[in-house]
Amino acid sequence: MKIGLFVPCYVDALYPEVGVSTYRLLKSLGLDVDYPERQTCCGQPMGNAGFEGMALPLAKTFDELFSPYDYVVAPSASCAAYVRCFHPNLLKGHSCESAGKTMDIVEFLHDVVKVDHLQARFPYRVSVHNSCHGVRELGLSSPSERHEPRYNKIIDLLKLVRGIEIVEPERPDECCGFGGMFAIEEQAVSRRMGIDKVNRHLATGAQYVTGPDSSCLMHMQGIAEKEHLPIRFIHVVQILASGLTS
């Protein structure tokens, strides 16, 4: 099974440690992982802003680079969802083979590899952030509005980590207010939503907030630091990769 590692642009630029942890974790599981060096942004920022014409060449490049792989894995639910849900429409008339193979690291470990043990140890109380794209486009956890039996693939994986105490905030799948361009165009609403979300995480008594999207974590971290709130943020793959020595 050949894995193409897709490291989204904002992870590459701002949180390279998340990309490194993803690579190390996949390799530790004995998987054949490749990192295509010509990879670029998936086009989500342009597409979300309404400039699909600008996203089209990026989608073409993505499909050209990643179609040969059995699976494309990314440490970003948002970007994985954009590729899977929106690239086929952008590339109408093309095969777009990569879209159906693209997965977030959480769903790949949970659904494909079916990981049942890890070397990880993280002795902290951790609140889980269920980002909107992960819940409603990738099915990482059950959307509360559907009133279906509850499940959470993020929590299933975190339960394999020694020493961790897992909690969830009130309204566990409510948006944090990031939403890409929404955070820029509707700053006041975005900030208010972020404050409410961070306070709900704080109310759990958690020392850390974790999730599958560095973008959501970045938004909440910025609010927490500005408000001098005593809580830290870490991508879920960094917790799952803790304990790896090489």
Side-chain angles (χ1 to χ4, degrees):
M1 180 165 59
K2 189 75 172 179
I3 311 300
L5 175 59
F6 169 45
V7 177
C9 45
Y10 74 98
V11 173
D12 182 47
L14 301 175
Y15 300 98
E17 64 275 16
V18 173
V20 172
S21 293
T22 304
Y23 178 81
R24 293 178 66 214
L25 181 58
L26 293 171
K27 291 293 287 185
S28 75
L29 297 169
L31 297 167
D32 186 4
V33 186
D34 187 26
Y35 176 81
E37 294 188 0
R38 287 182 51 235
Q39 63 181 273
T40 65
C41 172
C42 63
Q44 181 178 194
M46 301 80 169
N48 285 356
F51 300 104
E52 291 192 338
M54 296 175 67
L56 177 58
L58 300 176
K60 287 181 177 177
T61 298
F62 187 98
D63 194 52
E64 174 190 330
L65 286 176
F66 285 106
S67 286
Y69 295 98
D70 297 308
Y71 289 96
V72 184
V73 179
S76 167
S78 173
C79 296
Y82 187 75
V83 171
R84 191 189 302 172
C85 301
F86 290 90
H87 275 199
N89 188 55
L90 285 173
L91 297 174
K92 280 181 179 174
H94 299 267
S95 58
C96 194
E97 295 179 17
S98 59
K101 305 175 182 178
T102 300
M103 306 183 79
D104 169 74
I105 180 71
V106 169
E107 63 177 340
F108 179 72
L109 295 177
H110 189 279
D111 296 350
V112 178
V113 182
K114 302 183 188 303
V115 174
D116 59 7
H117 69 278
L118 291 168
Q119 301 178 37
R121 182 175 183 273
F122 198 74
Y124 300 98
R125 188 177 177 92
V126 178
S127 185
V128 175
H129 180 70
N130 301 291
S131 57
C132 303
H133 292 91
V135 175
R136 295 175 177 85
E137 292 184 328
L138 300 183
L140 298 186
S141 60
S142 50
S144 57
E145 67 272 15
R146 293 186 183 174
H147 306 288
E148 58 188 31
R150 288 208 67 193
Y151 68 89
N152 193 311
K153 298 176 185 179
I154 305 168
I155 291 177
D156 287 347
L157 292 178
L158 288 174
K159 286 179 178 177
L160 302 175
V161 177
R162 288 177 293 134
I164 195 169
E165 184 182 358
I166 306 164
V167 294
E168 283 191 287
E170 179 189 9
R171 305 182 187 180
D173 60 352
E174 185 176 72
C175 179
C176 67
F178 178 61
M181 294 299 294
F182 174 79
I184 297 172
E185 296 172 344
E186 300 289 347
Q187 293 182 29
V189 178
S190 174
R191 181 173 179 272
R192 181 68 257 174
M193 293 173 70
I195 291 172
D196 290 347
K197 191 72 187 190
V198 171
N199 282 332
R200 290 193 179 98
H201 282 298
L202 267 174
T204 67
Q207 297 157 287
Y208 281 89
V209 176
T210 194
D213 270 304
S214 292
S215 52
C216 299
L217 299 175
M218 176 179 65
H219 178 63
M220 291 185 288
Q221 181 176 1
I223 287 170
E225 290 180 353
K226 188 170 184 179
E227 301 293 328
H228 305 291
L229 301 176
I231 196 163
R232 290 177 282 183
F233 298 81
I234 185 170
H235 193 284
V236 65
V237 80
Q238 292 176 275
I239 297 177
L240 302 178
S242 63
L244 296 179
T245 56
S246 62

